[in-house]
Amino acid sequence: MYLVIVESPAKARTISKLLGSKYRVKASMGHLIDLPKSQLGIDIANNFEPKHITVRGKGKVLRELKEISKKADRVYLATDPDREGEAISWHLSRALEIGEDTPCRVEFHEITKAAVKNAFQSPQRMDMEKVEAQQARRILDRLVGYKISPLLWKKVRPGLSAGRVQSVAVRLICDREDEINAFVKEEYWSLEAELKTPEGRIFTARFHGKKGKKVTLRSQEEVAALLAELEKAVYIVNNVEVKDRKRNPSPPFITSTLQQEAYRKLGFTTKKTMSLAQQLYEGVEIGRKKESTGLITYMRTDSTRVSSAAQEEARRLITEKYGADYLPKKPRHFKAKKGAQEAHEAIRPTSSLREPDEIKNFLGRDLYRLYRLIWERFLASQMAAALLEQVRVDISAGENWFRANGSTIKFPGYTAVYIESRNEGTEDEKEAILPPLEKEQQLMLNSLSPKQHFTQPPPRFTEASLVNAMEEKGIGRPSTYSPTIETIQTRGYVVKEEKALKPDKLGYVVVDLLKYYFPMTVDISFTARLEDQLDRVETGELTRLQVLQEFFEPFEERLKVAEQEMEKIELEEEETDQVCPHCGKNLVKKVGRYGHFLACPGFPDCRFTMRPKVSTGVNCPLCEGEVVERKGKKGRKFFGCSNFPDCEFASPQKPLERKCPECGHYLLEKKSKSGANKVHCGSKECSYVEAEPLKMGSAGKKSGL
């Protein structure tokens, strides 16, 4: 009998079916051995030697593994192929008394029969440099967290924490908020001319400038003078430029791009994306026999590399499904970013032949949507470029200059399968299909449409754009993005408002203290440089001790200064207008382990607490109460009555004050992906539906000129 140890029961079930009866596959349930929670656990004087203990509650699992290993002919450690997985295997090898030179480590990046069997044919020794890199990160994070956090407890509020990566993430959000608050908006105008050809074809051109130079219109007076001039002008086509443009597909997903695209296209948080991806990687029961099958490759990766076998399979499918024209002459290879782990692959389906719709019935709605996203992105990455014909037309109106842009798709290429979404704050290119136009052709003016705009501040970070910023600046690594974003919200440093991350008062206080007393911990370039050093430990260029010593010496000096000089900060508790039902006092906002909540200020005499209610300004359709925004156990937003539990009204969609014109029942409002509000009757017996027009700000309204 051979013993195989992995992290999770789901992974154990999938691998067990692939290996057969000779192998017994058990799950460690994550780390079994780690630093103690109750103390620092680092012997600083003894070269930062860590003190490892069995994780509380894991003793039974470890004892069971020890007993089974004694009876096994051989033990294989098949934890995840990253630093954390290597560290789990290293701890297990020591606990199970497996010799350091014994080839017991089995590593695979996809849970398929071929990949798993191939890995077991050539087990390796432990990668101690990878273990050293993980231990260096763990010790650094412990030093920062356990040395600074007690100071914050004393000087600010109990229960706070500082983290090497999380503190920098909070700083990014605070700095962005400062930019927004300091932003001074400026007025500008756009001007579009609706023009008509002699054949009666109508199109739109945009004002660009005067006398061959680009001009920005800054005021209503400037626009009014220009309009008077343009009303009398003759419109002549000056130049027509037609050219073909190739648009190449994006690379297959890595961790950060998967998190960003799943957020933008599917509305998933980073935590939800990684949880679903973990399920797809570890195995889902599909097919008539309901066999557990790994559907995607390992989901914590920064590499865009794709195996030649996967490429060839995709190329065969593309040829069969779309035709030879959709296949590039050579397989596509994408340049990886500096420092990427090229031993890993990009996130892709374990088999592109396993099309999403064929297995849809075996997946839940969200698993199916994420798998389809990964499948489409990968297949598109191996397809031919899209070919567009772009037309640019310059039109003169006296001394003034207009431009019209248009494009047509000559060949869809990869866009037949997948089109990447855009980042927040980016504007779509305004291009349309233009009528045939020739140089020196005279056009007729139909109308002029000026529009007033104001420059906009940079947008607040969303989870997607924060991941993008962290990746660009080298803060953290693929495995840390999601837990970092979750931590800064649960600690109360950051709140989410309409999907945007906004710093709370507490976040500002902590960041300001860290900036002053521990500047290195919130310095973006320093944190990025430290990540590079950890990568160099993994490659053997640096030792763990070198990195720790270089960090700790200046850190210890700052710690001494902070302990002596940091003054206590009294944070006033924010009082709300919601009243405690037990004693009548106004509830105050608090921050706990799981984020914000409301509590009675009469504690400990009164221990009433509740989740915050967000007012909607709408009266309950069933009683005299108010409809408030709530969150369920899984964090999903819904609307309920403020008189709960006396009134049990609840709805996933916001009710309106207006009544249904057909049956008199209350109406519900649901916002679509396009931003429009869809209003429908809340009665199941009534089919009344109406679509409200998209709400637009001043930038989308016509001027009164």
Side-chain angles (χ1 to χ4, degrees):
M1 182 268 291
Y2 302 123
L3 173 63
V4 181
I5 304 176
V6 297
E7 296 100 327
S8 74
K11 188 175 177 181
R13 286 193 296 271
T14 306
I15 292 174
S16 181
K17 290 177 181 178
L18 296 175
L19 291 175
S21 58
K22 289 184 179 180
Y23 294 83
R24 188 171 180 185
V25 187
K26 302 293 291 183
S28 70
M29 309 299 291
H31 282 275
L32 290 176
I33 298 167
D34 200 1
L35 298 173
K37 282 189 175 181
S38 58
Q39 54 184 278
L40 178 65
I42 306 294
D43 188 350
I44 296 171
N46 186 25
N47 292 333
F48 303 93
E49 192 63 30
K51 175 187 176 183
H52 291 123
I53 64 168
T54 302
V55 176
R56 180 176 292 182
K58 296 290 187 75
K60 183 179 178 181
V61 178
L62 186 57
R63 285 195 298 272
E64 182 186 2
L65 291 176
K66 284 181 177 179
E67 289 173 8
I68 299 173
S69 68
K70 290 176 183 176
K71 302 172 186 176
D73 298 316
R74 191 168 181 180
V75 178
Y76 294 99
L77 305 174
T79 50
D80 286 347
D82 57 14
R83 291 176 189 167
E84 287 301 316
E86 203 72 25
I88 292 172
S89 286
W90 175 64
H91 285 305
L92 284 168
S93 69
R94 297 174 74 192
L96 303 181
E97 298 179 354
I98 300 172
E100 196 169 294
D101 293 331
T102 303
C104 62
R105 182 74 170 105
V106 175
E107 189 174 296
F108 39 82
H109 297 84
E110 59 182 77
I111 304 179
T112 59
K113 194 165 189 175
V116 170
K117 289 202 168 184
N118 184 57
F120 274 86
Q121 287 174 3
S122 55
Q124 306 293 314
R125 296 176 182 176
M126 296 299 307
D127 186 341
M128 290 310 299
E129 288 173 343
K130 191 179 284 187
V131 172
E132 285 289 287
Q134 188 275 344
Q135 289 290 287
R137 176 186 289 278
R138 190 78 180 94
I139 293 168
L140 281 170
D141 291 344
R142 178 56 67 100
L143 290 171
V144 172
Y146 276 52
K147 289 291 185 179
I148 298 180
S149 296
L151 268 175
L152 298 178
W153 302 342
K154 292 178 189 175
K155 305 298 184 180
V156 184
R157 179 183 290 173
L160 299 182
S161 71
R164 188 178 57 83
V165 175
Q166 76 177 48
S167 298
V168 181
V170 177
R171 178 184 179 166
L172 287 174
I173 295 168
C174 290
D175 288 350
R176 176 61 59 88
E177 195 69 18
D178 289 340
E179 286 181 62
I180 293 169
N181 293 333
F183 183 82
V184 178
K185 66 180 181 181
E186 295 180 2
E187 180 184 7
Y188 71 99
W189 290 70
S190 64
L191 176 60
E192 289 185 345
E194 189 178 87
L195 302 168
K196 185 164 68 172
T197 68
E199 296 77 26
R201 298 282 299 276
I202 295 172
F203 68 98
T204 301
R206 194 179 182 96
F207 174 76
H208 254 61
K210 200 162 191 166
K211 295 181 179 179
K213 292 184 179 180
K214 193 167 183 179
V215 173
T216 301
L217 302 172
R218 295 293 184 187
S219 67
Q220 184 172 337
E221 293 74 22
E222 193 177 346
V223 173
L226 179 61
L227 287 175
E229 187 179 333
L230 290 171
E231 291 285 356
K232 305 170 186 176
V234 177
Y235 291 78
I236 303 292
V237 176
N238 268 5
N239 185 51
V240 179
E241 184 179 311
V242 181
K243 61 180 180 181
D244 287 344
R245 176 186 161 199
K246 278 188 176 181
R247 184 177 291 170
N248 289 312
S250 298
F253 284 128
I254 58 175
T255 303
S256 61
T257 54
L258 174 63
Q259 290 174 351
Q260 293 171 63
E261 194 76 338
Y263 175 87
R264 292 192 293 254
K265 282 198 168 185
L266 307 179
F268 292 171
T269 63
T270 55
K271 180 181 179 181
K272 181 174 182 176
T273 298
M274 296 312 290
S275 175
L276 293 170
Q278 185 87 32
Q279 293 177 55
L280 292 171
Y281 166 69
E282 291 184 342
V284 179
E285 292 183 349
I286 62 172
R288 291 181 180 178
K289 297 181 180 180
K290 292 289 185 74
E291 292 183 345
S292 186
T293 305
L295 297 178
I296 65 170
T297 52
Y298 191 55
M299 64 286 159
R300 294 184 183 91
T301 176
D302 55 6
S303 172
T304 54
R305 187 181 69 82
V306 175
S307 71
S308 56
Q311 285 182 320
E312 286 305 315
E313 184 182 67
R315 288 173 67 83
R316 288 197 301 272
L317 178 63
I318 292 165
T319 304
E320 293 170 8
K321 194 174 178 70
Y322 299 97
D325 290 343
Y326 285 81
L327 195 68
K329 291 181 180 179
K330 295 180 181 179
R332 288 191 180 277
H333 298 280
F334 298 91
K335 187 177 180 181
K337 67 172 188 176
K338 183 184 176 183
Q341 299 291 311
E342 284 300 287
H344 289 200
E345 277 195 68
I347 303 169
R348 61 166 177 81
T350 52
S351 173
S352 54
L353 301 180
R354 198 175 287 118
E355 297 186 35
D357 287 342
E358 292 178 359
I359 59 173
K360 183 178 182 179
N361 294 336
F362 302 104
L363 307 176
R365 178 174 180 268
D366 289 340
L367 272 179
Y368 163 73
R369 293 169 72 203
L370 187 65
Y371 177 71
R372 185 180 66 184
L373 189 72
I374 294 167
W375 184 89
E376 289 176 346
R377 172 81 165 225
F378 170 67
L379 200 69
S381 75
Q382 303 303 310
M383 293 177 73
L387 183 61
L388 288 77
E389 182 182 77
Q390 293 192 314
V391 183
R392 191 177 78 182
V393 181
D394 290 334
I395 300 158
S396 65
E399 294 182 336
N400 300 295
W401 160 42
F402 284 76
R403 174 169 287 174
N405 291 305
S407 68
T408 57
I409 297 175
K410 294 179 72 174
F411 176 65
Y414 75 93
T415 63
V417 175
Y418 179 85
I419 300 175
E420 186 177 10
S421 61
R422 288 181 169 271
N423 288 321
E424 298 86 356
T426 57
E427 294 184 2
D428 291 332
E429 296 176 4
K430 291 190 175 180
E431 293 188 346
I433 297 175
L434 299 176
L437 296 166
E438 295 178 2
K439 193 173 180 180
E440 306 299 335
Q441 185 177 1
Q442 186 171 334
L443 306 167
M444 288 174 283
L445 176 66
N446 263 10
S447 64
L448 291 166
S449 301
K451 293 179 183 177
Q452 184 186 35
H453 306 265
F454 291 94
T455 53
Q456 297 296 311
R460 288 193 176 108
F461 284 112
T462 62
E463 289 195 10
S465 58
L466 183 59
V467 168
N468 186 48
M470 291 173 70
E471 183 190 30
E472 284 184 350
K473 297 178 186 298
I475 301 165
R477 285 297 181 261
S479 61
T480 63
Y481 301 141
S482 177
T484 296
I485 291 171
E486 183 185 3
T487 298
I488 62 178
Q489 292 179 74
T490 56
R491 294 294 184 188
Y493 300 143
V494 171
V495 294
K496 190 184 288 187
E497 293 183 359
E498 294 296 321
K499 294 189 175 182
L501 299 174
K502 182 180 178 182
D504 201 351
K505 184 178 180 181
L506 185 61
Y508 268 120
V509 169
V510 171
V511 166
D512 286 345
L513 284 174
L514 294 178
K515 277 183 181 178
Y516 186 80
Y517 290 104
F518 302 95
M520 66 174 68
T521 62
V522 287
D523 181 83
I524 295 168
S525 59
F526 176 84
T527 305
R529 190 165 66 251
L530 202 53
E531 291 290 354
D532 288 337
Q533 288 180 328
L534 292 173
D535 291 342
R536 291 172 67 192
V537 172
E538 184 172 341
T539 58
E541 297 174 59
L542 289 175
T543 66
R544 178 177 79 183
L545 184 59
Q546 285 174 312
V547 173
L548 294 173
Q549 284 177 336
E550 184 181 335
F551 169 82
F552 191 72
E553 288 177 9
F555 176 74
E556 189 176 33
E557 291 300 316
R558 299 302 305 174
L559 198 63
K560 291 175 183 176
V561 172
E563 287 170 343
Q564 294 174 0
E565 298 181 3
M566 190 183 289
E567 296 180 358
K568 186 168 179 60
I569 296 174
E570 295 292 340
L571 283 176
E572 292 185 7
E573 292 179 330
E574 186 179 343
E575 189 177 277
T576 70
D577 57 3
Q578 298 184 50
V579 178
C580 174
H582 295 169
C583 67
K585 294 179 180 177
N586 281 32
L587 299 177
V588 295
K589 286 186 178 180
K590 296 264 189 182
V591 180
R593 184 178 179 185
Y594 300 106
H596 286 84
F597 66 98
L598 301 182
C600 181
F603 181 86
D605 298 327
C606 180
R607 295 175 176 268
F608 177 79
T609 62
M610 63 176 286
R611 292 181 179 179
K613 295 178 182 177
V614 180
S615 174
T616 64
V618 177
N619 293 326
C620 176
L622 303 185
C623 73
E624 295 181 356
E626 181 192 9
V627 174
V628 293
E629 189 179 300
R630 295 178 178 272
K631 282 189 177 180
K633 290 182 179 179
K634 295 184 178 180
R636 289 185 177 177
K637 183 172 75 174
F638 72 96
F639 298 91
C641 182
S642 59
N643 289 334
F644 179 83
D646 296 328
C647 177
E648 296 186 352
F649 172 77
S651 169
Q653 299 164 17
K654 182 181 177 181
L656 303 176
E657 291 282 10
R658 295 189 288 120
K659 301 293 184 182
C660 175
E662 293 187 4
C663 71
H665 203 74
Y666 58 83
L667 294 173
L668 295 173
E669 177 186 74
K670 183 179 181 181
K671 185 166 283 189
S672 67
K673 289 183 178 180
S674 65
N677 295 319
K678 182 181 177 183
V679 176
H680 64 95
C681 184
S683 172
K684 293 180 180 178
E685 286 75 32
C686 181
S687 58
Y688 176 76
V689 177
E690 66 182 49
E692 291 187 351
L694 187 66
K695 295 178 181 178
M696 301 182 75
S698 61
K701 297 176 182 176
K702 279 195 175 184
S703 160
L705 290 174

